PDB file of all heavy atoms in Angstrom:
ATOM      1  N   VAL A 107       3.568   8.152   4.494  1.00 96.00           N
ATOM      2  CA  VAL A 107       3.951   6.754   4.801  1.00 96.00           C
ATOM      3  C   VAL A 107       5.328   6.755   5.441  1.00 96.00           C
ATOM      4  O   VAL A 107       6.045   7.749   5.299  1.00 96.00           O
ATOM      5  CB  VAL A 107       3.935   5.839   3.555  1.00 96.00           C
ATOM      6  CG1 VAL A 107       2.530   5.848   2.905  1.00 96.00           C
ATOM      7  CG2 VAL A 107       4.991   6.294   2.577  1.00 96.00           C
ATOM      8  N   LYS A 108       5.591   5.711   6.200  1.00 95.00           N
ATOM      9  CA  LYS A 108       6.934   5.592   6.798  1.00 95.00           C
ATOM     10  C   LYS A 108       7.969   5.558   5.673  1.00 95.00           C
ATOM     11  O   LYS A 108       7.888   4.773   4.765  1.00 95.00           O
ATOM     12  CB  LYS A 108       7.008   4.305   7.587  1.00 95.00           C
ATOM     13  CG  LYS A 108       8.303   4.144   8.290  1.00 95.00           C
ATOM     14  CD  LYS A 108       8.319   2.855   9.124  1.00 95.00           C
ATOM     15  CE  LYS A 108       9.691   2.634   9.808  1.00 95.00           C
ATOM     16  NZ  LYS A 108       9.813   1.353  10.450  1.00 95.00           N
ATOM     17  N   PRO A 109       8.974   6.468   5.745  1.00 93.00           N
ATOM     18  CA  PRO A 109       9.925   6.485   4.682  1.00 93.00           C
ATOM     19  C   PRO A 109      10.701   5.130   4.515  1.00 93.00           C
ATOM     20  O   PRO A 109      10.991   4.468   5.440  1.00 93.00           O
ATOM     21  CB  PRO A 109      10.960   7.535   5.174  1.00 93.00           C
ATOM     22  CG  PRO A 109      10.162   8.432   6.071  1.00 93.00           C
ATOM     23  CD  PRO A 109       9.196   7.482   6.746  1.00 93.00           C
ATOM     24  N   PHE A 110      10.845   4.800   3.241  1.00 93.00           N
ATOM     25  CA  PHE A 110      11.590   3.593   2.854  1.00 93.00           C
ATOM     26  C   PHE A 110      12.649   3.979   1.797  1.00 93.00           C
ATOM     27  O   PHE A 110      12.540   5.017   1.193  1.00 93.00           O
ATOM     28  CB  PHE A 110      10.653   2.449   2.394  1.00 93.00           C
ATOM     29  CG  PHE A 110       9.738   2.849   1.221  1.00 93.00           C
ATOM     30  CD1 PHE A 110      10.150   2.722  -0.105  1.00 93.00           C
ATOM     31  CD2 PHE A 110       8.416   3.305   1.503  1.00 93.00           C
ATOM     32  CE1 PHE A 110       9.305   3.080  -1.113  1.00 93.00           C
ATOM     33  CE2 PHE A 110       7.589   3.615   0.422  1.00 93.00           C
ATOM     34  CZ  PHE A 110       7.988   3.534  -0.873  1.00 93.00           C
ATOM     35  N   THR A 111      13.530   3.021   1.599  1.00 92.00           N
ATOM     36  CA  THR A 111      14.657   3.308   0.700  1.00 92.00           C
ATOM     37  C   THR A 111      14.487   2.573  -0.643  1.00 92.00           C
ATOM     38  O   THR A 111      13.621   1.677  -0.726  1.00 92.00           O
ATOM     39  CB  THR A 111      15.955   2.847   1.339  1.00 92.00           C
ATOM     40  OG1 THR A 111      15.950   1.424   1.509  1.00 92.00           O
ATOM     41  CG2 THR A 111      16.241   3.508   2.652  1.00 92.00           C
ATOM     42  N   PHE A 112      15.309   2.902  -1.608  1.00 93.00           N
ATOM     43  CA  PHE A 112      15.314   2.184  -2.827  1.00 93.00           C
ATOM     44  C   PHE A 112      15.599   0.739  -2.624  1.00 93.00           C
ATOM     45  O   PHE A 112      15.020  -0.153  -3.262  1.00 93.00           O
ATOM     46  CB  PHE A 112      16.356   2.755  -3.832  1.00 93.00           C
ATOM     47  CG  PHE A 112      16.057   4.182  -4.266  1.00 93.00           C
ATOM     48  CD1 PHE A 112      16.875   5.206  -3.942  1.00 93.00           C
ATOM     49  CD2 PHE A 112      14.940   4.389  -5.031  1.00 93.00           C
ATOM     50  CE1 PHE A 112      16.603   6.477  -4.377  1.00 93.00           C
ATOM     51  CE2 PHE A 112      14.642   5.676  -5.490  1.00 93.00           C
ATOM     52  CZ  PHE A 112      15.514   6.732  -5.132  1.00 93.00           C
ATOM     53  N   HIS A 113      16.503   0.418  -1.675  1.00 91.00           N
ATOM     54  CA  HIS A 113      16.848  -0.946  -1.413  1.00 91.00           C
ATOM     55  C   HIS A 113      15.607  -1.738  -0.901  1.00 91.00           C
ATOM     56  O   HIS A 113      15.472  -2.937  -1.197  1.00 91.00           O
ATOM     57  CB  HIS A 113      17.977  -1.033  -0.416  1.00 91.00           C
ATOM     58  CG  HIS A 113      18.560  -2.398  -0.341  1.00 91.00           C
ATOM     59  ND1 HIS A 113      19.406  -2.912  -1.334  1.00 91.00           N
ATOM     60  CD2 HIS A 113      18.419  -3.388   0.582  1.00 91.00           C
ATOM     61  CE1 HIS A 113      19.717  -4.174  -0.992  1.00 91.00           C
ATOM     62  NE2 HIS A 113      19.162  -4.459   0.190  1.00 91.00           N
ATOM     63  N   CYS A 114      14.773  -1.088  -0.144  1.00 91.00           N
ATOM     64  CA  CYS A 114      13.474  -1.745   0.260  1.00 91.00           C
ATOM     65  C   CYS A 114      12.646  -2.178  -0.874  1.00 91.00           C
ATOM     66  O   CYS A 114      11.888  -3.179  -0.788  1.00 91.00           O
ATOM     67  CB  CYS A 114      12.703  -0.760   1.134  1.00 91.00           C
ATOM     68  SG  CYS A 114      13.441  -0.380   2.755  1.00 91.00           S
ATOM     69  N   LEU A 115      12.776  -1.494  -2.000  1.00 93.00           N
ATOM     70  CA  LEU A 115      12.003  -1.879  -3.196  1.00 93.00           C
ATOM     71  C   LEU A 115      12.500  -3.238  -3.767  1.00 93.00           C
ATOM     72  O   LEU A 115      11.713  -3.980  -4.324  1.00 93.00           O
ATOM     73  CB  LEU A 115      12.019  -0.797  -4.214  1.00 93.00           C
ATOM     74  CG  LEU A 115      11.356   0.481  -3.819  1.00 93.00           C
ATOM     75  CD1 LEU A 115      11.532   1.557  -4.894  1.00 93.00           C
ATOM     76  CD2 LEU A 115       9.893   0.253  -3.525  1.00 93.00           C
ATOM     77  N   ARG A 116      13.747  -3.521  -3.538  1.00 90.00           N
ATOM     78  CA  ARG A 116      14.284  -4.846  -3.963  1.00 90.00           C
ATOM     79  C   ARG A 116      13.650  -5.936  -3.085  1.00 90.00           C
ATOM     80  O   ARG A 116      13.224  -6.948  -3.594  1.00 90.00           O
ATOM     81  CB  ARG A 116      15.801  -4.919  -3.801  1.00 90.00           C
ATOM     82  CG  ARG A 116      16.532  -4.215  -4.976  1.00 90.00           C
ATOM     83  CD  ARG A 116      18.033  -4.109  -4.813  1.00 90.00           C
ATOM     84  NE  ARG A 116      18.791  -5.305  -4.541  1.00 90.00           N
ATOM     85  CZ  ARG A 116      19.204  -6.163  -5.505  1.00 90.00           C
ATOM     86  NH1 ARG A 116      18.889  -5.991  -6.754  1.00 90.00           N
ATOM     87  NH2 ARG A 116      19.906  -7.218  -5.185  1.00 90.00           N
ATOM     88  N   HIS A 117      13.579  -5.634  -1.772  1.00 88.00           N
ATOM     89  CA  HIS A 117      12.923  -6.560  -0.879  1.00 88.00           C
ATOM     90  C   HIS A 117      11.445  -6.760  -1.211  1.00 88.00           C
ATOM     91  O   HIS A 117      10.894  -7.836  -1.179  1.00 88.00           O
ATOM     92  CB  HIS A 117      13.041  -6.059   0.564  1.00 88.00           C
ATOM     93  CG  HIS A 117      14.425  -6.243   1.177  1.00 88.00           C
ATOM     94  ND1 HIS A 117      14.797  -7.331   1.893  1.00 88.00           N
ATOM     95  CD2 HIS A 117      15.540  -5.461   1.060  1.00 88.00           C
ATOM     96  CE1 HIS A 117      16.041  -7.203   2.295  1.00 88.00           C
ATOM     97  NE2 HIS A 117      16.552  -6.062   1.779  1.00 88.00           N
ATOM     98  N   TYR A 118      10.813  -5.601  -1.551  1.00 89.00           N
ATOM     99  CA  TYR A 118       9.373  -5.634  -1.933  1.00 89.00           C
ATOM    100  C   TYR A 118       9.152  -6.557  -3.089  1.00 89.00           C
ATOM    101  O   TYR A 118       8.323  -7.379  -3.119  1.00 89.00           O
ATOM    102  CB  TYR A 118       8.976  -4.168  -2.215  1.00 89.00           C
ATOM    103  CG  TYR A 118       7.616  -4.022  -2.866  1.00 89.00           C
ATOM    104  CD1 TYR A 118       6.449  -4.109  -2.080  1.00 89.00           C
ATOM    105  CD2 TYR A 118       7.459  -3.773  -4.236  1.00 89.00           C
ATOM    106  CE1 TYR A 118       5.248  -3.949  -2.627  1.00 89.00           C
ATOM    107  CE2 TYR A 118       6.206  -3.620  -4.803  1.00 89.00           C
ATOM    108  CZ  TYR A 118       5.097  -3.688  -3.988  1.00 89.00           C
ATOM    109  OH  TYR A 118       3.825  -3.529  -4.558  1.00 89.00           O
ATOM    110  N   GLY A 119      10.008  -6.376  -4.160  1.00 91.00           N
ATOM    111  CA  GLY A 119       9.861  -7.235  -5.365  1.00 91.00           C
ATOM    112  C   GLY A 119      10.112  -8.691  -5.048  1.00 91.00           C
ATOM    113  O   GLY A 119       9.359  -9.560  -5.506  1.00 91.00           O
ATOM    114  N   ALA A 120      11.161  -8.979  -4.292  1.00 90.00           N
ATOM    115  CA  ALA A 120      11.452 -10.331  -3.933  1.00 90.00           C
ATOM    116  C   ALA A 120      10.316 -10.947  -3.130  1.00 90.00           C
ATOM    117  O   ALA A 120       9.959 -12.133  -3.323  1.00 90.00           O
ATOM    118  CB  ALA A 120      12.760 -10.418  -3.118  1.00 90.00           C
ATOM    119  N   THR A 121       9.717 -10.226  -2.245  1.00 87.00           N
ATOM    120  CA  THR A 121       8.610 -10.709  -1.442  1.00 87.00           C
ATOM    121  C   THR A 121       7.405 -10.999  -2.256  1.00 87.00           C
ATOM    122  O   THR A 121       6.780 -12.020  -2.102  1.00 87.00           O
ATOM    123  CB  THR A 121       8.277  -9.643  -0.368  1.00 87.00           C
ATOM    124  OG1 THR A 121       9.424  -9.419   0.447  1.00 87.00           O
ATOM    125  CG2 THR A 121       7.145 -10.122   0.555  1.00 87.00           C
ATOM    126  N   LYS A 122       7.141 -10.067  -3.205  1.00 89.00           N
ATOM    127  CA  LYS A 122       5.945 -10.288  -4.093  1.00 89.00           C
ATOM    128  C   LYS A 122       6.157 -11.591  -4.901  1.00 89.00           C
ATOM    129  O   LYS A 122       5.242 -12.386  -5.055  1.00 89.00           O
ATOM    130  CB  LYS A 122       5.809  -9.137  -5.051  1.00 89.00           C
ATOM    131  CG  LYS A 122       5.488  -7.818  -4.412  1.00 89.00           C
ATOM    132  CD  LYS A 122       4.027  -7.657  -4.054  1.00 89.00           C
ATOM    133  CE  LYS A 122       3.258  -7.286  -5.317  1.00 89.00           C
ATOM    134  NZ  LYS A 122       1.844  -7.080  -5.040  1.00 89.00           N
ATOM    135  N   LEU A 123       7.342 -11.831  -5.399  1.00 91.00           N
ATOM    136  CA  LEU A 123       7.630 -13.036  -6.183  1.00 91.00           C
ATOM    137  C   LEU A 123       7.526 -14.299  -5.281  1.00 91.00           C
ATOM    138  O   LEU A 123       6.971 -15.306  -5.679  1.00 91.00           O
ATOM    139  CB  LEU A 123       8.981 -12.958  -6.819  1.00 91.00           C
ATOM    140  CG  LEU A 123       9.152 -11.931  -7.954  1.00 91.00           C
ATOM    141  CD1 LEU A 123      10.556 -11.951  -8.495  1.00 91.00           C
ATOM    142  CD2 LEU A 123       8.153 -12.124  -9.036  1.00 91.00           C
ATOM    143  N   ASP A 124       8.076 -14.187  -4.083  1.00 87.00           N
ATOM    144  CA  ASP A 124       8.028 -15.335  -3.149  1.00 87.00           C
ATOM    145  C   ASP A 124       6.571 -15.644  -2.787  1.00 87.00           C
ATOM    146  O   ASP A 124       6.153 -16.818  -2.817  1.00 87.00           O
ATOM    147  CB  ASP A 124       8.798 -14.956  -1.865  1.00 87.00           C
ATOM    148  CG  ASP A 124       8.816 -16.082  -0.854  1.00 87.00           C
ATOM    149  OD1 ASP A 124       9.258 -17.234  -1.263  1.00 87.00           O
ATOM    150  OD2 ASP A 124       8.425 -15.896   0.268  1.00 87.00           O
ATOM    151  N   GLN A 125       5.773 -14.618  -2.570  1.00 85.00           N
ATOM    152  CA  GLN A 125       4.381 -14.865  -2.228  1.00 85.00           C
ATOM    153  C   GLN A 125       3.583 -15.419  -3.432  1.00 85.00           C
ATOM    154  O   GLN A 125       2.556 -16.126  -3.241  1.00 85.00           O
ATOM    155  CB  GLN A 125       3.726 -13.572  -1.765  1.00 85.00           C
ATOM    156  CG  GLN A 125       4.216 -13.142  -0.403  1.00 85.00           C
ATOM    157  CD  GLN A 125       3.704 -11.734   0.019  1.00 85.00           C
ATOM    158  OE1 GLN A 125       3.220 -10.962  -0.818  1.00 85.00           O
ATOM    159  NE2 GLN A 125       3.937 -11.389   1.290  1.00 85.00           N
ATOM    160  N   ALA A 126       4.070 -15.147  -4.627  1.00 89.00           N
ATOM    161  CA  ALA A 126       3.449 -15.699  -5.834  1.00 89.00           C
ATOM    162  C   ALA A 126       3.928 -17.160  -6.140  1.00 89.00           C
ATOM    163  O   ALA A 126       3.513 -17.695  -7.149  1.00 89.00           O
ATOM    164  CB  ALA A 126       3.701 -14.814  -7.045  1.00 89.00           C
ATOM    165  N   GLY A 127       4.816 -17.644  -5.298  1.00 88.00           N
ATOM    166  CA  GLY A 127       5.300 -19.041  -5.472  1.00 88.00           C
ATOM    167  C   GLY A 127       6.525 -19.193  -6.429  1.00 88.00           C
ATOM    168  O   GLY A 127       6.799 -20.265  -6.926  1.00 88.00           O
ATOM    169  N   VAL A 128       7.178 -18.074  -6.796  1.00 90.00           N
ATOM    170  CA  VAL A 128       8.312 -18.180  -7.669  1.00 90.00           C
ATOM    171  C   VAL A 128       9.468 -18.847  -6.945  1.00 90.00           C
ATOM    172  O   VAL A 128       9.718 -18.614  -5.731  1.00 90.00           O
ATOM    173  CB  VAL A 128       8.720 -16.728  -8.113  1.00 90.00           C
ATOM    174  CG1 VAL A 128      10.027 -16.770  -8.930  1.00 90.00           C
ATOM    175  CG2 VAL A 128       7.615 -16.093  -8.915  1.00 90.00           C
TER     176      VAL A 128
END
Side-chain angles (χ1 to χ4, degrees):
V107 300
K108 183 180 176 186
F110 55 86
T111 64
F112 293 116
H113 193 76
C114 291
L115 296 175
R116 283 174 54 83
H117 286 266
Y118 171 79
T121 301
K122 297 278 281 182
L123 293 179
D124 183 54
Q125 290 171 346
V128 174

